[in-house]
Amino acid sequence: MSFRGLYLTRMWLGSQFSNKLLPSRIQPLAAHVKLTENCQAGCISCDYWKSRWQDGINTDRAVKLVNEIGDAGITNLRFTGGEPLLRKDFFQILKSANTSSLKKIIIQTNGLLLKKLHKEINDSPITKVAVSIDGLKETNDLIRGIQGYFELGLEGIRLLRGKEVAISVTLNRLSAGELEKLAEVAHGVGATIEFNILSRSLSFLKNADTDLMWPQQGDVVQISNFLRDVLKRPSYEVDYVTRYYNNEELEEPACVLGYTQVFVISNGDVLTGCYPLKPVGNILRDSLANILASEAYAQQSAAMVRRECPGCTCGVETSLATKHAFSSAFFELSRLKQGQKNETRVPSIVAPQEEPRPAR
């Protein structure tokens, strides 16, 4: 068995049976990096745009960070924010860094600068562009606070070449009835659909109007039908989202995010894949390798498995897939047999602005 296979096996055993079986050495599969928290949109679903943020990671340190991510054996890198394309040195960082070992380089963007910067994106090592769009034209522009956002995002998508493209929609009350049409629009421009769910537990959402966005019972039915019938998501995932939006009691899965993802935010803080918990180090004072190997990182990751945390929905699809490992494996195998090629893959069930982030 390969190191990666053994690692995932121990993560599953440790999260489902005993913490003693968890991997002794943490090697995340993916890194999420925020080079900036600034954003030029005005979304009603988040607070980022209400503040002017000071970027703490300069160009040289950003280049070294990307190199350290590759050196750590991490193969998936996602740039999120804020809006990552607001960093004027973004493409310089990608050009200067050694990205050869990274299998996927994803940018989560609001799409407002895609048209302007499409040539730079097309010439970059970026493999995937995920554009945050939350509904059809009028609904999306209302949610995102920018008139013309929807059309500008689609114009930018049409100019992309040689990139996987996804539209990331936050499932919400205002666009619940538009989801099937939005999927048609996405496919019409060569994009797939990914989804996020709203969160009420993240600090950067404390003043967001989540009540306006929160689905009512009828909306939840539409969302559940969309996930099941259009996106063909597994039943355990659909059930979780349905119960979550209906404010029903949930049996939360053991959180494995500390073992699968590492987050680095714009002030250099390193998080164990979790925004509500305290940082376990800072890349402006230490290397990423030292932080990943630290006792603080290991202890907090194990505590997350035990759910010793405030609770959130960040990356819950990964934890659900781990809990339902056999059903998840059967689901993925069935998709492959049917020739589906990541068309309905969910990057993360998170807060509306990240992705991934969370997404912008």
Side-chain angles (χ1 to χ4, degrees):
M1 183 181 292
S2 66
F3 171 79
R4 180 62 59 87
L6 179 60
Y7 181 81
L8 292 174
T9 299
R10 291 195 61 177
M11 184 188 76
W12 177 73
L13 290 170
S15 63
Q16 306 306 311
F17 298 103
S18 170
N19 273 197
K20 295 179 180 179
L21 301 174
L22 287 167
S24 56
R25 172 189 167 196
I26 295 181
Q27 185 176 339
L29 312 180
H32 290 208
V33 174
K34 292 172 177 276
L35 295 177
T36 185
E37 312 281 346
N38 291 303
C39 185
Q40 78 278 45
C43 306
I44 62 176
S45 55
C46 85
D47 292 341
Y48 271 109
W49 58 276
K50 298 177 183 178
S51 301
R52 175 63 185 172
W53 304 77
Q54 183 66 43
D55 300 336
I57 305 174
N58 64 25
T59 305
D60 289 342
R61 186 64 187 96
V63 171
K64 291 179 181 177
L65 173 61
V66 174
N67 292 341
E68 289 174 4
I69 288 169
D71 291 342
I74 297 171
T75 56
N76 290 3
L77 170 60
R78 179 185 290 266
F79 290 102
T80 179
E83 171 50 51
L85 291 177
L86 287 178
R87 281 285 297 236
K88 294 182 179 180
D89 58 354
F90 181 71
F91 295 102
Q92 179 186 345
I93 292 167
L94 286 178
K95 185 176 180 179
S96 300
N98 179 7
T99 60
S100 60
S101 64
L102 298 172
K103 295 180 180 179
K104 291 186 179 181
I105 301 178
I106 305 164
I107 180 170
Q108 184 76 42
T109 175
N110 57 35
L112 295 175
L113 291 173
L114 285 183
K115 183 178 180 181
K116 179 180 180 180
L117 298 173
H118 71 276
K119 292 181 180 178
E120 289 84 350
I121 294 172
N122 290 340
D123 292 339
S124 77
I126 291 170
T127 61
K128 178 177 178 178
V129 180
V131 186
S132 298
I133 292 179
D134 286 336
L136 297 178
K137 183 178 179 180
E138 292 184 4
T139 303
N140 176 79
D141 292 1
L142 171 64
I143 294 172
R144 293 287 168 175
I146 300 288
Q147 290 299 310
Y149 179 122
F150 181 82
E151 294 295 345
L152 188 57
L154 292 184
E155 284 184 54
I157 289 174
R158 292 188 184 100
L159 293 170
L160 298 176
R161 299 290 182 270
K163 310 297 180 186
E164 183 183 351
V165 183
I167 285 180
S168 298
V169 56
T170 298
L171 302 173
N172 69 87
R173 177 183 182 180
L174 301 180
S175 66
E178 303 176 352
L179 292 172
E180 290 192 30
K181 180 62 177 178
L182 183 62
E184 293 176 8
V185 171
H187 295 161
V189 295
T192 60
I193 285 282
E194 301 176 337
F195 71 87
N196 310 309
I197 60 176
L198 290 164
S199 175
R200 288 170 167 163
S201 61
L202 304 181
S203 61
F204 41 77
L205 300 178
K206 61 183 178 181
N207 295 316
D209 195 351
T210 53
D211 288 338
L212 176 64
M213 299 277 286
W214 201 268
Q216 303 300 302
Q217 189 171 17
D219 309 314
V220 176
V221 172
Q222 291 180 308
I223 288 171
S224 300
N225 290 341
F226 176 73
L227 295 180
R228 183 184 62 250
D229 300 334
V230 179
L231 296 193
K232 308 295 184 183
R233 298 312 304 167
S235 58
Y236 62 79
E237 209 172 79
V238 178
D239 180 66
Y240 181 92
V241 174
T242 302
R243 294 174 64 84
Y244 175 79
Y245 274 139
N246 280 331
N247 297 305
E248 298 177 26
E249 185 175 350
L250 286 167
E251 183 180 348
E252 297 287 359
C255 180
V256 298
L257 221 58
Y259 293 88
T260 60
Q261 299 181 22
V262 57
F263 291 177
V264 182
I265 59 178
S266 65
N267 65 358
D269 281 345
V270 177
L271 311 176
T272 53
C274 178
Y275 289 107
L277 292 177
K278 294 181 179 180
V280 291
N282 188 291
I283 61 157
L284 302 183
R285 299 188 293 270
D286 205 349
S287 70
L288 181 64
N290 285 343
I291 296 170
L292 289 175
S294 69
E295 189 65 22
Y297 199 105
Q299 288 183 357
Q300 185 157 293
S301 296
M304 289 166 64
V305 168
R306 298 190 297 269
R307 282 282 174 175
E308 296 173 4
C309 59
C312 70
T313 57
C314 295
V316 72
E317 89 292 344
T318 301
S319 297
L320 284 171
T322 302
K323 178 180 179 180
H324 300 275
F326 296 106
S327 296
S328 176
F330 179 77
F331 169 74
E332 294 297 334
L333 181 61
S334 298
R335 285 203 309 128
L336 289 173
K337 287 182 177 180
Q338 294 168 13
Q340 298 182 38
K341 194 177 180 181
N342 287 330
E343 182 164 314
T344 57
R345 179 179 171 274
V346 185
S348 54
I349 302 181
V350 292
Q353 75 290 1
E354 136 87 43
E355 291 101 2
R357 88 178 165 258
R360 266 75 358 229

